[in-house]
Amino acid sequence: MIDLYTWGTPNGKKVSIMLEECALPYRVHKINIGTNSEQFAPEYLKINPNGKIPSIVDPDGPGGKPLAMMESGAILIYLAEKTKKFLPEKSRYQVLQWLMFQMGGVGPMFGQAHHFMRAKKDEIPYGSERYGNEAKRLYGVMNVHLGKTDCFAGEYSIADIAIYPWIARHEWHRVDLAQFPAVKRWYDKVGARPAVVRGMAVPAA
């Protein structure tokens, strides 16, 4: 059984969705990132030296040895290769490029938009404008692409799993999905998958 160390963030939900999609048994350990006491505890830093979530420990890693992993994108690739699911060989590089699009663009930029638009008690207009505009630009990129294909790499993959939880917070960065109809169509389709519904509910309150 895989141990999942997580919290209710888009990065955390990527991995719980993937575990559900792959029907892998797992145990949830909540790491409250609102307090430094849990994410920077010495025992957790042994699993994730960066003190972030998510992390996994797979007791049945390569060669049958336990494997601890950090970084959500790397975890998705590992689980895809372990189960031979959601990373098809014929579109491998298309999947990976859209996964990197999420890791290098959607996640960091949307996260900054969340910070300036929602987390700060006193809004900083410059930050809200800068990151809000970049978020909308990225939505535009996705909308054009998804206007030509059902999923980011043609068929459902870890790229869709990585991006979906960030789009689920579209209201946090003041985006109306009606302005991006191809993204909304994709979002509604992915969000209807039972494994996605279950994974988005982890960790339970």
Side-chain angles (χ1 to χ4, degrees):
M1 182 173 290
I2 291 174
D3 287 291
L4 168 64
Y5 298 82
T6 190
W7 195 241
T9 71
N11 284 337
K13 292 181 183 299
K14 294 179 203 174
V15 178
S16 51
I17 290 172
M18 182 64 172
L19 289 165
E20 290 288 344
E21 289 281 17
C22 295
L24 288 168
Y26 67 101
R27 240 182 327 254
V28 176
H29 306 269
K30 298 179 185 178
I31 301 295
N32 186 345
I33 60 174
T35 65
N36 289 339
S37 60
E38 293 186 24
Q39 69 185 106
F40 296 117
E43 57 270 24
Y44 184 61
L45 290 175
K46 291 178 181 178
I47 297 168
N48 186 327
N50 198 29
K52 304 291 185 182
I53 63 96
S55 306
I56 64 166
V57 176
D58 183 0
D60 185 26
K65 298 179 180 180
L67 174 69
M69 286 202 70
M70 62 180 190
E71 294 299 325
S72 58
I75 294 170
L76 290 181
I77 294 170
Y78 169 71
L79 294 175
E81 293 183 342
K82 177 183 176 74
T83 60
K84 304 295 189 289
K85 294 181 178 180
F86 309 115
L87 183 54
E89 192 60 35
K90 65 181 180 180
S91 57
R92 179 181 179 86
Y93 294 110
Q94 286 75 23
V95 173
L96 292 177
Q97 75 172 357
W98 286 104
L99 176 62
M100 296 305 116
F101 171 82
Q102 185 280 303
M103 299 295 294
V106 168
M109 295 301 104
F110 286 16
Q112 290 295 327
H114 296 170
H115 175 76
F116 284 103
M117 294 180 173
R118 188 174 184 275
K120 292 289 291 184
K121 292 181 180 179
D122 298 317
E123 184 166 337
I124 301 173
Y126 173 77
S128 296
E129 181 180 3
R130 174 180 172 83
Y131 294 108
N133 287 343
E134 178 61 6
K136 289 178 181 176
R137 188 192 71 81
L138 292 168
Y139 270 93
V141 172
M142 292 186 283
N143 197 63
V144 170
H145 180 67
L146 290 171
K148 305 171 186 175
T149 181
D150 286 341
C151 293
F152 278 95
E155 60 183 288
Y156 185 70
S157 71
I158 57 174
D160 303 284
I161 291 171
I163 294 170
Y164 178 85
W166 286 100
I167 306 301
R169 289 189 171 178
H170 58 93
E171 293 179 350
W172 286 29
H173 37 270
R174 303 172 190 169
V175 166
D176 179 2
L177 285 186
Q179 296 178 355
F180 303 96
V183 175
K184 186 177 188 307
R185 172 198 52 77
W186 167 87
Y187 175 74
D188 291 342
K189 181 179 179 179
V190 173
R193 295 176 67 93
V196 173
V197 174
R198 294 193 301 269
M200 287 292 289
V202 177

